[in-house]
Amino acid sequence: MNTRLLVGIAFVAVVLFIGCSSEDRDEQLILGTSGLAVRAQLTGACCFPTGDCQILPELECTDAGGIYQGDDTVCDPNPCEQPPPPEGACCFADGSCVVMTAADCTLQGGAYQGDDILCDPNPCKQPPLPEGACCFTDGSCVVMTADDCATQGGIYQGDDILCDPNPCDQPPPPEGACCFTDGSCIVATADDCAAQGGAYLGDDILCDPNPCDQPPPPEGACCFTDGSCVVATADDCAAQDGAYLGDDILCDPNPCDQPPPPEGACCFTDGSCVVATADDCAAQGGAYLGDDILCDPNPCDQPPPPEGACCFTDGSC
């Protein structure tokens, strides 16, 4: 080829390239293998918001929403700014939820639920509610949740607190009537009643009115004015005008004061009469006529009048 022709062609190509508008910058004239000038497109790395990179002409890059990195720039290594990693709900064993990246979730031992999954409402599986001892006013204890404990009127002792041994305050033991063999009654606990030898009638049984079986009234010696003695109650003795000597006093031996022995007429052989006791009369050789027999008038048999010699004036006898 003629040297002048080559120089001319090259000059024209340069003039055309320099004189082209910005819209035509993607194309330039190059010398083809045939020696003729041909039109070629300029390309470079095009970055998209996703961080992806493609080799495109500048105009095509901007039309696609990318950012052109310059002519002849490459995508390897990727020159594009990478967007922040996606985030989503990360669930933990306690049921809590935090929005974070999948990598951070794994690093913290959580379970990633997926990109753009939110924590409100909480998508995480909730663990069973903790339980602990719940105390009631009767001192009983049941393991349950705090909410269930409050609903049932108990006092929650804390998570994982057990009922064995029982941590609950115990109420004072119940009390009731305690009866004794003498019929008396006191309010006491069952244990205290048993320790005192009583019979516990039951919780909350009162002593007024007295619920205890009453023993038969005590008996003792009852003395009468004649010195006789009978065993009777104090009330029965009084009803008979006796004198009650006390509970459990016996009549054998007779404890009663004895009245003086009765007296009566005591007759002697000479017809005389004295008032004496039967014993005294017998001791004196008399004949006791009976108690309260008087000597006036004289009740005694009179002996015949004595006889003796009777002399008369004529000397007869």
Side-chain angles (χ1 to χ4, degrees):
M1 178 179 292
N2 189 306
T3 302
R4 288 183 179 180
L5 179 59
L6 289 175
V7 171
I9 293 172
F11 176 77
V12 171
V14 170
V15 170
L16 289 174
F17 179 74
I18 294 173
C20 68
S21 68
S22 61
E23 288 144 359
D24 297 329
R25 279 193 76 250
D26 288 346
E27 297 181 353
Q28 62 180 359
L29 291 176
I30 61 172
L31 190 63
T33 56
S34 63
L36 296 177
V38 296
R39 190 175 298 275
Q41 284 188 321
L42 297 175
T43 60
C46 180
C47 291
F48 292 95
T50 61
D52 292 336
C53 180
Q54 295 182 27
I55 302 297
L56 295 173
E58 181 177 6
L59 184 59
E60 188 176 340
C61 175
T62 55
D63 287 345
I67 299 175
Y68 193 67
Q69 303 298 302
D71 296 341
D72 298 325
T73 54
V74 296
C75 284
D76 188 11
N78 189 341
C80 303
E81 181 179 355
Q82 297 300 303
E87 293 183 332
C90 179
C91 292
F92 295 95
D94 63 357
S96 62
C97 180
V98 180
V99 173
M100 60 178 65
T101 66
D104 287 344
C105 183
T106 300
L107 186 64
Q108 297 182 40
Y112 193 67
Q113 303 300 298
D115 298 344
D116 302 323
I117 302 297
L118 302 179
C119 282
D120 187 13
N122 189 341
C124 304
K125 183 178 180 181
Q126 297 302 301
L129 293 175
E131 294 182 331
C134 179
C135 291
F136 296 94
T137 53
D138 63 357
S140 61
C141 180
V142 179
V143 173
M144 60 178 65
T145 66
D147 288 345
D148 287 345
C149 183
T151 299
Q152 298 182 42
I155 299 175
Y156 192 65
Q157 304 299 299
D159 297 344
D160 302 322
I161 302 297
L162 302 179
C163 282
D164 187 13
N166 189 338
C168 304
D169 292 333
Q170 297 302 303
E175 295 182 326
C178 178
C179 292
F180 297 95
T181 54
D182 64 356
S184 63
C185 179
I186 63 169
V187 173
T189 66
D191 288 344
D192 287 345
C193 183
Q196 298 178 53
Y200 191 68
L201 298 191
D203 298 343
D204 302 322
I205 302 296
L206 303 179
C207 282
D208 187 13
N210 189 339
C212 304
D213 292 334
Q214 298 301 303
E219 295 180 327
C222 178
C223 293
F224 297 97
T225 54
D226 64 358
S228 61
C229 178
V230 296
V231 173
T233 66
D235 289 344
D236 288 344
C237 184
Q240 299 178 55
D241 294 327
Y244 192 68
L245 299 190
D247 298 344
D248 302 322
I249 303 297
L250 302 179
C251 283
D252 188 13
N254 189 340
C256 303
D257 292 334
Q258 297 303 303
E263 294 179 329
C266 178
C267 295
F268 297 95
T269 55
D270 63 357
S272 62
C273 179
V274 297
V275 173
T277 65
D279 289 344
D280 287 345
C281 182
Q284 297 178 49
Y288 191 69
L289 298 189
D291 297 341
D292 302 322
I293 302 297
L294 302 179
C295 283
D296 187 13
N298 189 339
C300 301
D301 292 335
Q302 297 300 305
E307 294 180 340
C310 180
C311 295
F312 296 97
T313 57
D314 64 357
S316 61
C317 180

